[in-house]
Amino acid sequence: MFDVWQNVLAELEQAISREAYITWFTGVTLLSVENGVATVGVPNSLKAQMIQKRYGKQIEEALRNNNVDFSEVKFTVKPSAKVRPRSMEVLRGYNSSEQSKKKRPSTRDIVVDNGLSSEYSMENFVVAPSNEWAVGVARSIIENPGGIVNPFFLYGGPGLGKTHLVQAIGNELARKNPKLKILYTTTSDFYSDFIQMMMEQKANSGAPSKNAARSAAFAKKYRELDVFIIDDIQTILNKDATQVAFFDIFNDLHQHKKQIIVTCDRLPEQLKSLDPRLTSRLAWGGPVDLQMPSFEDRCAILRVKAELRGVDVENEVIEFIADNVRTNIRELEGKLNQVLLYAEMKGVSPAEIIHGGMIAATNKTSRHSTLNARQVVEKVAKSSGLSVEEMCGKSRVANIKTARQIAMFLLAEELGMSTPRIALEVGVKDHTTVMHGIKKIRNDLKFDFQLRERIENLREKIYA
């Protein structure tokens, strides 16, 4: 059976991209073929859902090519991947941002004083379509640090997993090669380090040798690194001297093919007060973003989080939380923890907590809110500098056509409207035009970072 599955994997590796293969098929095995059912074991339910949806047919074909007799392929979470239930003391103490800050100084969590926390790994980073590209890039860096993607500029809103992913890269590189000099730091800590050096130099203005030694120590700390990971680069704005120091370190590391990893809450060109030379360098590797996952992906992520805690959570609870939290993954996980904590305190099931109104549907972004199609159309038109009549007219001018397609996309994504109904709302003759418009926006979103930013801003305005 092992040889058969290896042959199946070899076929899949040839048929799909390397990034997709590594992301989705690492840790996937063929468990059994009995009574006409081929059972494939996967690490978690999200991976099972995504593999079945995206590659189910290819797996079936590859199994038949290897003379496996079956009538159905079943995906199941491997027993070895299931985690024992964690005590509620762990859940009570869990608050992603605060707890990570508290844990960092612990010698148990710090790897060789490099700023990396061992709680962040590639194994516990939940992969979904909203972050699949970023994970693929991360894995390519782990395979070849200092290679094509250098710098790796990762951007996105708060709580979407930027810190987790970049620290996971550092931890994986450290595991593969303990001799690598790796440092993870926040930009605020880098700034403090630089200011401390400047203050010491000012205090020792009459002692040039001491100043030279302090400057050399600062340079050595950063310029001798093999991997430099710096978080939240946007906090360097309006700090001109610090920007110059970082610029010099960046150039030196990049020239020597050392890996640079930077996170930010926006694209390089949107950092208005950043030195233009630094802006262009940060974009060298091609910016990659993390997006808020879709409703279905949020449900899948919550199921994985529940699995990791060894807790069974009803589907209605999962859907309630995913429906009411559209801000970020950190808040999504926090709401799940809140429900589980209340359930234990009250001695009831998570579903009873929801039905009892102890966790209210207070988020204004609920899919069942009073938001209607007209509001979406008006917001898109206004943000595009158009009237509703202009946007929903027959004009084929590029900016008007794009605005109309964005409206189609948001009506489908946010309100779940059918294509014939969308056609009526945006003034097109038939639903096939709507289907084309939605498909175009979805395809463009894969690589057009400015379009992603535009749609996220629209979502904020729509639900404001």
Side-chain angles (χ1 to χ4, degrees):
M1 190 178 300
F2 175 79
D3 290 339
V4 168
W5 186 244
Q6 290 304 111
N7 291 339
V8 169
L9 290 178
E11 284 192 35
L12 291 169
E13 191 172 9
Q14 293 296 318
I16 64 179
S17 70
R18 176 168 174 76
E19 290 79 10
Y21 176 81
I22 293 172
T23 297
W24 296 112
F25 289 96
T26 299
V28 177
T29 56
L30 180 63
L31 298 179
S32 64
V33 181
E34 297 176 354
N35 301 320
V37 178
T39 303
V40 178
V42 294
N44 58 61
S45 58
L46 175 60
K47 189 169 274 193
Q49 177 184 328
M50 294 304 171
I51 290 175
Q52 185 170 21
K53 181 179 178 181
R54 294 181 172 204
Y55 306 109
K57 297 295 184 185
Q58 288 172 279
I59 290 173
E60 290 179 8
E61 184 179 348
L63 286 169
R64 290 193 178 94
N65 290 342
N66 285 275
N67 301 315
V68 177
D69 185 19
F70 69 96
S71 57
E72 178 189 359
V73 176
K74 180 181 177 182
F75 296 88
T76 184
V77 177
K78 292 185 289 186
S80 60
K82 293 180 180 177
V83 181
R84 291 183 304 164
R86 297 168 66 183
S87 67
M88 288 310 297
E89 280 69 27
V90 175
L91 285 175
R92 288 191 188 100
Y94 185 85
N95 180 326
S96 55
S97 59
E98 291 302 316
Q99 288 301 309
S100 63
K101 290 176 185 175
K102 291 177 182 177
K103 287 182 178 181
R104 276 179 196 158
S106 167
T107 54
R108 182 166 50 85
D109 285 332
I110 299 298
V111 183
V112 200
D113 196 29
N114 56 16
L116 296 170
S117 172
S118 61
E119 68 179 285
Y120 298 119
S121 69
M122 295 301 292
E123 286 72 24
N124 62 23
F125 186 87
V126 181
V127 182
S130 57
N131 59 34
E132 184 180 1
W133 176 248
V135 172
V137 173
R139 293 191 187 282
S140 72
I141 291 170
I142 292 167
E143 290 295 318
N144 182 28
I148 296 174
V149 186
N150 194 22
F152 177 31
F153 187 93
L154 181 66
Y155 77 99
L160 294 181
K162 298 189 299 296
T163 296
H164 186 146
L165 185 57
V166 299
Q167 288 215 38
I169 294 171
N171 279 323
E172 189 64 20
L173 287 171
R175 185 191 64 78
K176 288 183 65 178
N177 185 356
K179 293 182 180 180
L180 284 177
K181 293 180 180 178
I182 302 170
L183 177 65
Y184 164 84
T185 186
T186 64
T187 306
S188 295
D189 286 343
F190 177 84
Y191 172 69
S192 297
D193 201 3
F194 176 72
I195 293 299
Q196 183 65 29
M197 179 196 71
M198 298 293 287
M199 290 174 64
E200 289 179 13
Q201 287 187 337
K202 187 174 181 179
N204 297 314
S205 56
S209 60
K210 285 187 178 180
N211 284 342
R214 181 67 184 89
S215 180
F218 175 82
K220 182 178 180 180
K221 177 178 178 178
Y222 295 101
R223 297 192 185 205
E224 292 188 358
L225 293 172
D226 296 304
V227 181
F228 182 27
I229 305 170
I230 185 163
D231 215 347
D232 293 326
I233 197 67
Q234 69 272 8
T235 59
I236 207 172
L237 299 179
N238 301 313
K239 299 177 175 69
D240 294 343
T242 311
Q243 288 185 32
V244 171
F246 178 73
F247 178 81
D248 291 340
I249 290 167
F250 181 103
N251 281 344
D252 193 51
L253 291 174
H254 196 274
Q255 183 179 354
H256 290 89
K257 299 189 183 302
K258 306 301 183 181
Q259 182 66 53
I260 303 164
I261 299 173
V262 180
T263 76
C264 189
D265 64 355
R266 68 203 87 161
L267 284 161
E269 60 263 31
Q270 294 173 328
L271 300 169
K272 298 303 182 184
S273 61
L274 194 66
D275 185 326
R277 299 174 302 165
L278 190 52
T279 300
S280 66
R281 281 162 173 75
L282 289 174
W284 277 349
V288 177
D289 74 332
L290 293 178
Q291 302 174 63
M292 185 61 190
S294 67
F295 172 76
E296 290 76 12
D297 293 335
R298 294 199 296 278
C299 288
I301 289 169
L302 284 166
R303 290 189 184 99
V304 172
K305 297 295 184 182
E307 280 178 13
L308 290 172
R309 286 157 178 73
V311 180
D312 289 326
V313 180
E314 300 92 332
N315 282 339
E316 59 189 311
V317 176
I318 294 291
E319 291 177 3
F320 176 89
I321 297 172
D323 195 19
N324 280 274
V325 179
R326 293 190 174 197
T327 46
N328 57 57
I329 297 170
R330 187 182 298 146
E331 301 234 351
L332 196 70
E333 191 171 2
K335 185 65 74 175
L336 173 64
N337 290 331
Q338 186 183 15
V339 170
L340 295 178
L341 179 58
Y342 280 17
E344 195 208 31
M345 290 171 61
K346 298 288 184 181
V348 298
S349 71
E352 289 175 279
I353 294 294
I354 300 300
H355 293 313
M358 283 173 267
I359 302 292
T362 55
N363 196 306
K364 293 181 181 179
T365 65
S366 171
R367 288 158 68 94
H368 307 295
S369 68
T370 57
L371 181 68
N372 59 51
R374 184 67 181 182
Q375 289 171 314
V376 173
V377 170
E378 287 175 350
K379 293 284 186 181
V380 175
K382 184 176 180 181
S383 71
S384 306
L386 303 168
S387 67
V388 172
E389 290 72 22
E390 285 176 311
M391 189 180 79
C392 297
K394 296 180 180 180
S395 174
R396 306 288 293 175
V397 175
N399 68 309
I400 298 177
K401 184 179 177 182
T402 298
R404 192 182 303 131
Q405 290 173 336
I406 289 173
M408 296 173 186
F409 172 81
L410 289 172
L411 289 170
E413 290 286 312
E414 303 305 313
L415 295 181
M417 290 176 60
S418 66
T419 51
R421 280 194 61 198
I422 293 172
L424 290 174
E425 294 292 341
V426 299
V428 298
K429 288 186 177 180
D430 61 83
H431 72 284
T432 57
T433 304
V434 176
M435 291 171 64
H436 170 76
I438 294 171
K439 183 178 179 181
K440 184 178 188 307
I441 295 298
R442 282 180 178 153
N443 288 336
D444 289 349
L445 281 171
K446 294 176 182 178
F447 304 105
D448 189 336
F449 302 117
Q450 290 182 333
L451 178 61
R452 290 182 183 180
E453 198 78 20
R454 180 178 177 182
I455 287 179
E456 285 308 307
N457 289 336
L458 273 167
R459 282 193 171 113
E460 288 180 13
K461 291 174 181 177
I462 287 168
Y463 291 114

